[in-house]
Amino acid sequence: MDRCLLNLKEYGWCLVEGVIPMDRVGAIRRSVADTVEKHSNNESLKNGVGFVPGVIAQNQEFAPYLAHPKMMRIANSLLGEHVRISFTSAIVNNPGNVRGGWHADWPYNQNNAGHMKAPYPDVVSHLTTLWMLSGFSCENGGTLIQPGSHRSDNNPTGDNGISPDEVLPGELQATGSEGDVLVMDSRLWHASAVNSTTEPRIALAIRYAPWW
């Protein structure tokens, strides 16, 4: 966990292994896939991505793990003793989905109606976590990240001279096993990658915030 916190500080991301036990992750994956099929945002499906915002209102199968000791160690270290969940969504990258644009998450995404206006301060104020209900690989669309970009005071959503669709030097794809969690400083530039397999890649996006 110390290494994870150091990676978050230096590079803006880390991988936390085994948060959801192997004997539970399959059932949760199937449950979330069913929820996405029933409630997915039709607009997002045009790009080959199933998306359900506020998914915890429809599905609480994953809720017991949100306060896992590993996750709370990170959240408390960076955001203080009192933290809350500010965002839950289910994301399914279907085979052949469109590559997404580089962005940072709220409150740094300059396209959001409410956002922190760039240039913003070099302070951690939100954590974005991607819960791997399917294993993430380069083939199935493991999330694209730009290490170190969290130290920038803007991002490609804010007219910073970099196109959201640009392939960037040093970009990586985050990979991991089912049950692992990708943790990112919400300022980190990231994008959805193309799923070139025949199976959907199923994940949850959960954001942690200070109490305020």
Side-chain angles (χ1 to χ4, degrees), residues 5-7 22 55 57 76 78 82 100 113 118 133 137-138 145 148 150 152 166 179 182-183 187 193 204:
L5 287 166
L6 180 61
N7 286 347
M22 287 300 295
V55 68
N76 292 150
L78 296 175
H82 303 293
L133 302 183
S137 68
C138 293
I145 56 177
H150 66 302
S152 172
E166 191 173 333
L182 172 65
V183 182
R187 297 173 293 171
L204 295 163

Side-chain angles (χ1 to χ4, degrees), residues 66-86:
L66 299 183
H68 189 284
K70 291 182 179 179
M71 303 306 298
M72 296 313 298
R73 166 79 188 280
I74 294 171
N76 292 150
S77 295
L78 296 175
L79 302 175
E81 182 180 357
H82 303 293
V83 297
R84 66 184 182 90
I85 302 294
S86 66

Side-chain angles (χ1 to χ4, degrees), residues 115-150:
H115 61 267
M116 186 183 296
K117 188 175 181 180
Y120 37 78
D122 184 11
V123 176
V124 181
S125 65
H126 243 79
L127 294 174
T128 296
T129 63
L130 294 179
W131 296 60
M132 301 178 182
L133 302 183
S134 305
F136 277 30
S137 68
C138 293
E139 292 74 25
N140 75 355
T143 300
L144 291 160
I145 56 177
Q146 183 66 13
S149 57
H150 66 302

Side-chain angles (χ1 to χ4, degrees), residues 6 37 39 67 91 97 101-102 113 131 153 212:
L6 180 61
E37 186 174 353
H39 299 284
I91 304 172
N97 66 296
W102 290 110
W131 296 60
D153 64 3
W212 44 267

Side-chain angles (χ1 to χ4, degrees), residues 1-11:
M1 296 310 297
D2 288 338
R3 184 171 65 249
C4 188
L5 287 166
L6 180 61
N7 286 347
L8 276 163
K9 179 179 179 180
E10 295 295 322
Y11 306 113

Side-chain angles (χ1 to χ4, degrees), residues 104-108 126-128 184-188 190 207:
D105 281 345
W106 188 90
Y108 307 106
H126 243 79
L127 294 174
T128 296
M184 299 182 288
D185 184 315
S186 293
R187 297 173 293 171
L188 187 77
H190 58 283
R207 291 209 289 268

